[in-house]
Each structure stands twice: as C-alpha cells, then as structure tokens.
C-alpha cells in the first residue's frame, strides 16, 4: 500500500516519524511505501506542495495530520478529531454586512469532503474509519481572534474546528482522485487571541499517539 502523510510543520509529526522510523520524503515501511510531505503552513503552501507532488505520484491514501483550534467547548484540548468536511470559509465576496460564498458567486464549491470510498479494497471498513469524533472544519488564511467575526462565522457555517490547511488538502487530493482523510488534535479554542491558553504540546502528543496506532493498524490490515 502507498500512503502519503501530510503535515504543515515537522514538529507536528516528528514523534510519529521517530516511532515509525520515517524520514521526510519516501520510506519503505515493511512491505509498504510511506511518503512524508511537510508542506509549510497555510492553504497556498499546502496546495502548491500537494499539486506538485500528486502530479507525479499516486497514493492509495493521503492522511493530513495537524493541530487545530476548536469552536466547540465540548471538545477537550488535546482531543483528536476526524475532520470529514471542511470549508474555504473566506472564499467569496463581501456584500455590505453580508457575505457571498464562491458557490453563490457561481465560481465553484466552498465545501470539500473526505473521500475514502476508493481506499484499497484490501482494507476492511472498520480499519479505514477512525473511532473518534467526526467534525466539520473551516480553513482560513486569517485565524479568528475577534469575538464579532467568530460569531458571524459560527452563525454562517457552524464549524467545530479551524485550521489553515484542511480544505486545501481535501481539494488537492480530491482533484487528483487520491482517497483522503484529515486527523487533527485540538491545541486551542477559537476565541479572542489568547496564546497563553494554547496547549500545543498536549495536542501534538495525543495526535502522534493516535496516528501511530491508526497508521500501523491500517498498514497491518493492508498487508
Ligand atoms: O499565534 C497565533 O495566533 C497562531 C495562530 C494560528 C496558528 C498558530 C500556530 O503556531 C500553529 C500553526 C498551525 O496550527 C494550526 N492551528 C492551530 N490552531 C489553530 C486555530 O485556532 N486556527 C487556525 N489554525 C490553527 C494551523 O493549521 C497551522 O498549521 C499560531
């Protein structure tokens, strides 16, 4: 099986890489190929890196791993969630106090979803779907840190989580017909910017523990 692991920054997945003995780039893991792609932060960096890479290589599955903010206070800091649907939340046009999405402008779709149906038929359904909370995310260039803009986004899209890459990851993988899933661990709540309240260490620790078990189980099932 050929698996692509995608993260914005190296520190977000270096514990996983150490425990599975993976390097950036191509790796042989047992009888599988695992490629680790570090894209840089944000949609532009992610879209470029994935567009370039997926133009040359084909995968059975791409997995986006990273930390995220949560709008939903019932999700604990450090909880790992499965983002199955994501939105380009800022893509569109202002219309006075309102907002017209890219869909309403007639230029495309602002929502993108995970695609797992085409994952190798060798894998059972149970081993493909992680047994964790399923959430809807938004992806932004400008991270929310203002109570008024947070209220407006929540009433328009009701997202659970926010990242700076997720929708671009889905868009690139869907465009290249590569099955894709996004797993994120919550490092902070989306609120008036309050960096002291973030727990990036806990989020990275839990993300990597979860990802190692999930990916090694997946590759066992896919042997
Ligand atoms: O200092 C800040 O205000 C700040 C804002 C956003 C992200 C950072 C980072 O250092 C991490 C970049 C990384 O983390 C993801 N992330 C984590 N929390 C959020 C969030 O609340 N909203 C959007 N993205 C978030 C993001 O995907 C980046 O890759 C610092």
């Amino acid at each position: 099986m050929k698996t692509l692991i995608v993260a914005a920054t190296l520190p977000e997945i270096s514990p996983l890489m150490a425990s599975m003995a993976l390097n950036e780039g191509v790796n042989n893991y047992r009888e599988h190929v695992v490629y680790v792609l570090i894209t840089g932060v944000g949609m532009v960096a992610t879209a470029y890196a994935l567009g370039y890479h997926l133009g040359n290589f084909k995968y059975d599955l791409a997995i986006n791993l990273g930390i995220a903010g949560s709008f939903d206070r019932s999700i604990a800091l450090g909880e790992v969630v499965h983002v199955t649907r994501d939105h380009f939340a800022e893509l569109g046009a202002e219309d006075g106090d309102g907002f017209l999405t890219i869909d309403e402008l007639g230029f495309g779709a602002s929502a993108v979803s995970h695609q797992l149906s085409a994952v190798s038929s060798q894998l059972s359904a149970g081993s493909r779907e992680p047994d964790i909370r399923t959430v809807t995310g938004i992806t932004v260039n400008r991270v929310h840190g203002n109570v008024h803009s947070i209220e407006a986004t929540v009433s328009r899209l009701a997202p659970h989580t926010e990242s700076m890459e997720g929708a671009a990851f889905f868009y690139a993988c869907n465009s290249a017909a590569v099955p894709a899933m996004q797993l994120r661990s919550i490092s902070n709540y989306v609120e008036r910017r309050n960096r002291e309240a973030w727990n990036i260490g806990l989020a990275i620790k839990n993300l990597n523990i979860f990802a190692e078990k999930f990916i090694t189980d997946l590759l066992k099932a896919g042997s």
Side-chain angles (χ1 to χ4, degrees), residues 11 53 87 92 105 110 126 174 193:
H53 191 74
H87 292 89
L105 294 173
S110 56
N174 294 353
R193 187 176 147 81

Side-chain angles (χ1 to χ4, degrees), residues 7-9 12 39-42 46 64-71 138-145 161-166 182 184-191 193-195 198 200:
T9 65
E12 284 169 288
T39 59
V41 169
T46 301
N64 186 200
L65 299 174
I67 59 173
S70 179
F71 292 90
I138 62 168
T139 303
V140 293
N141 286 310
R142 185 161 86 169
V143 172
H144 281 92
T161 60
E162 174 178 280
S163 79
M164 300 175 78
E165 300 84 22
Q182 183 184 168
R184 291 205 175 251
S185 183
I186 304 305
S187 52
N188 59 282
Y189 293 112
V190 178
E191 59 185 354
R193 187 176 147 81
N194 179 15
R195 199 64 159 78
W198 288 37
I200 292 179

Side-chain angles (χ1 to χ4, degrees), residues 24 32 34 60 80 88 90 92 109 114 117 156 175 189 203 208 221-222:
E24 247 187 277
H32 304 284
V34 177
D60 299 304
V80 182
F88 293 100
E90 304 147 322
H114 75 149
S117 50
R156 187 164 66 83
S175 300
Y189 293 112
N208 282 264

Side-chain angles (χ1 to χ4, degrees), residues 84-115:
T84 55
R85 190 167 169 80
D86 216 317
H87 292 89
F88 293 100
E90 304 147 322
L91 191 57
E94 291 183 345
D95 183 12
D97 290 333
F99 180 77
L100 298 171
T101 63
I102 199 81
D103 317 56
E104 289 163 328
L105 294 173
F107 295 136
S110 56
V112 278
S113 293
H114 75 149
Q115 297 291 345

